[in-house]
Amino acid sequence: MPRMTAARAAVEILKREGVDVAFGVPGAAINPFYKALKEGGGIGHTLARHVEGASHMAEGYTRAKAGNIGVCIGTSGPAGTDMITGLYSAIADSIPILCITGQAPVSKLHKEDFQAVDIASIAKPVTKAATTVLEAAQVPGVFQQAFHLMRSGRPGPVLIDLPIDVQLTEIEFDPETYEPLPVYKPAATRAQVEKALSFLLASERPLIVAGGGIINADATDLLVEFAELTGVPVISTLMGWGTIPDDHELAAGMVGVQTSHRYGNATFLESDFVLGIGNRWANRHTGYNLDAYRGDRKFVHVDIEPTQIGRIFAPDYGIASDAKAALELFIEVAKELKAAGTLPDFTAWAASAQERKATLQRRTSFDNIPIKPQRVYEEMNRAFGPETRYVTTIGLSQIAAAQFLHVYKPRHWVNCGQAGPLGWTIPAAIGAATADPETPVVALSGDYDFQFMIEELAVAAQHRIPYVHVLVNNAYLGLIRQAQGNLGINFEVNLEFENINTPELGVYGVDHVKVAEGLGVKAIRVTDPNELGAAFEEAKKLAAEYRVPVVVEAILERITNIAMSKTVDMSDVTEFEELATEPGHAPTAIRALQA
């Protein structure tokens, strides 16, 4: 039997589980693992500038390509605690990443050793499993189980903590005979699918709510096939955006209290049956007024996690199933119903959804200086085509992006949906661009998100990872300011100051162009909305030429209120800004405005 260190065995398992790149920061307690990584070969490594950044890079890497599992590595103590935010955002959105940390020697774990913290206990609430390995011989089994857990059922992250002496201990392990464990995924039965479709047959105005579980299951083609077969319009959740192209005749928009379309909400409120697949009824989708969301309509919920069914509200029928397995059966039974002539004709209902799409629009065409944010998204639609992968996290910029941008493919909207940590965007964009360098990446940040982990731009410069980063700068915590309005305050949300080194910025404070250039990337500042298009084109050229990120900073008006519900009720969304009343008001809308 071959003998090797436990660290080397772990590296060999990573390779056999399909890992080809890792993101991390070395340190004393994880150095034996890094030695094994170097000597084992076959796994690339991207050196992050912050360990939390490494965890978000791993997330972006997983989210961008089906089958990927991002790996992040750090030393003992603060490295692990820094990665907790990444683990939280991963488990919240059902994203499998593997976090590997170094640890003090086993004999020192109870002696308050330098940088020795019980990271497994800290990480347990935000992982599917978190283990400090105390016996070197258990390392292969713990890693094998980690991949099994990450891929089985509802996907999610795992943390493995390796004491330094465990890493260095030699064990017997044969990589050539290693095999991954079979993946477990629950599957719907025919009887369950027939029962679910009985609700569809009894409805007149049905909708499919397509969640991120469909993308995780790599089943978007099946979702589109099922929608086309039945003629049922599709509402995408924020995490499910891209399950059906925005310009598809059955794409009915998004629903919710923030990241939603006027036409999506209106169509939903007219529906009488909702089939949710791979979604979790997130509160930004349903709002807190569940009576308004549920109304008199019937609900069927299909989810891979049995305990998710009934968590928010009790559906009329629930099925615990992987989205792909369920959709295959839905298609099979629907074809039989159609052949028998018992499938209703929903053509008029689907057409009404498209009519709303062509009439209930928000205005984007403004020539104001400073720039109104809506114009930025209009110009992004013009500059960045259907092949674009957008990456963003939280704030008014993300909410407005979901209202105005267009997504045409799965995994082309990479968004931290539930956790929403500031600073996520830059490292996640790096991870996404690493996973799929052929697909153009466009990141989007407000100024505060951009500043949180701005140092990670140096990682992309060092490793030559090009992408375009749109930075909308209003020198405000915009979303928090808007939320504080309900309380009658405007407190500690102002970021403006007069930068003594860049007086031409006025009160916009941080000179992002200088900072970005100092970190080794290119940057362009735009103050006139009519120059945005040229700036985006220049950014694409510079990214291709220099193979680094290019930041395009748009100086926005200080205050813009983006449409959302003040009462967290999807039936009560306030439209703060001017609506589109003629085609020129929303020239890049999916459907031309019909006044």
Side-chain angles (χ1 to χ4, degrees), residues 216-264:
N216 282 347
D218 202 23
T220 55
D221 288 347
L222 294 175
L223 180 278
V224 173
E225 182 181 352
F226 177 62
E228 290 175 343
L229 179 63
T230 57
V232 176
V234 177
I235 293 287
S236 301
T237 68
L238 186 66
M239 295 303 298
W241 200 8
T243 50
I244 189 168
D246 274 355
D247 59 355
H248 193 284
E249 61 184 4
L250 291 172
M254 283 194 286
V255 166
V257 298
Q258 292 179 335
T259 56
S260 60
H261 301 109
R262 294 178 65 210
Y263 52 85

Side-chain angles (χ1 to χ4, degrees), residues 4 14 42 50 61 109 145 179 181 187 194 201 220 264 289 296 350 385 396 405 412 424 435 446 484 494 529 567:
M4 62 188 69
L14 292 182
H50 191 294
Y61 183 83
L109 292 180
Q145 183 187 44
E179 286 293 331
L181 293 173
E194 288 175 347
L201 298 180
T220 55
N289 184 354
D296 294 325
L396 286 185
L405 294 180
H412 278 214
W424 189 87
Q484 285 188 354
N494 308 65
T567 57

Side-chain angles (χ1 to χ4, degrees), residues 45-61:
H45 183 269
T46 299
L47 177 62
R49 291 300 191 272
H50 191 294
V51 198
E52 181 185 340
S55 67
H56 298 324
M57 290 174 197
E59 283 189 81
Y61 183 83

Side-chain angles (χ1 to χ4, degrees), residues 140-294:
V142 170
F143 273 80
Q144 186 180 41
Q145 183 187 44
F147 282 93
H148 169 72
L149 289 173
M150 286 188 285
R151 295 179 175 128
S152 293
R154 182 181 178 181
V158 168
L159 178 138
I160 300 176
D161 187 40
L162 298 174
I164 188 169
D165 52 337
V166 169
Q167 296 174 56
L168 290 166
T169 299
E170 282 200 350
I171 61 172
E172 293 183 342
F173 177 67
D174 183 6
E176 299 305 319
T177 57
Y178 176 86
E179 286 293 331
L181 293 173
V183 174
Y184 167 73
K185 293 181 180 179
T189 66
R190 184 178 173 93
Q192 290 172 327
V193 165
E194 288 175 347
K195 173 80 171 179
L197 288 181
S198 71
F199 289 88
L200 177 67
L201 298 180
S203 69
E204 296 179 356
R205 301 177 303 281
L207 286 175
I208 298 167
V209 169
I214 295 173
I215 294 175
N216 282 347
D218 202 23
T220 55
D221 288 347
L222 294 175
L223 180 278
V224 173
E225 182 181 352
F226 177 62
E228 290 175 343
L229 179 63
T230 57
V232 176
V234 177
I235 293 287
S236 301
T237 68
L238 186 66
M239 295 303 298
W241 200 8
T243 50
I244 189 168
D246 274 355
D247 59 355
H248 193 284
E249 61 184 4
L250 291 172
M254 283 194 286
V255 166
V257 298
Q258 292 179 335
T259 56
S260 60
H261 301 109
R262 294 178 65 210
Y263 52 85
N265 279 6
T267 293
F268 185 89
L269 291 171
E270 290 292 322
S271 67
D272 62 0
F273 168 63
V274 176
L275 172 59
I277 306 176
N279 66 303
R280 60 181 184 85
W281 313 114
N283 69 285
R284 285 208 291 172
H285 171 80
T286 64
Y288 287 150
N289 184 354
L290 291 178
D291 289 340
Y293 183 84
R294 296 179 69 182

Side-chain angles (χ1 to χ4, degrees), residues 437-453:
E438 301 307 312
T439 297
V441 168
V442 175
L444 172 68
S445 290
D447 44 302
Y448 213 41
D449 170 55
F450 190 73
Q451 291 172 22
F452 257 55
M453 301 200 78

Side-chain angles (χ1 to χ4, degrees), residues 466-470 521-524 538-540 542-544 548-552:
Y467 71 91
V468 174
H469 201 125
V470 179
V521 309
K522 293 288 186 179
I524 303 167
E538 178 67 10
K540 288 189 282 186
L542 290 172
V548 297
V550 180
V551 177
V552 179

Side-chain angles (χ1 to χ4, degrees), residues 13 34 44 77 79 99 101 104 114 228 259 267 272 282 309 318 336 351 397 407 432 485 525 537-538 559 563:
I13 289 172
Y34 270 87
C99 176
T101 54
F114 176 67
E228 290 175 343
T259 56
T267 293
D272 62 0
I309 296 170
E336 294 173 8
S397 56
V407 175
R525 181 177 294 122
E537 293 304 319
E538 178 67 10
I559 294 176

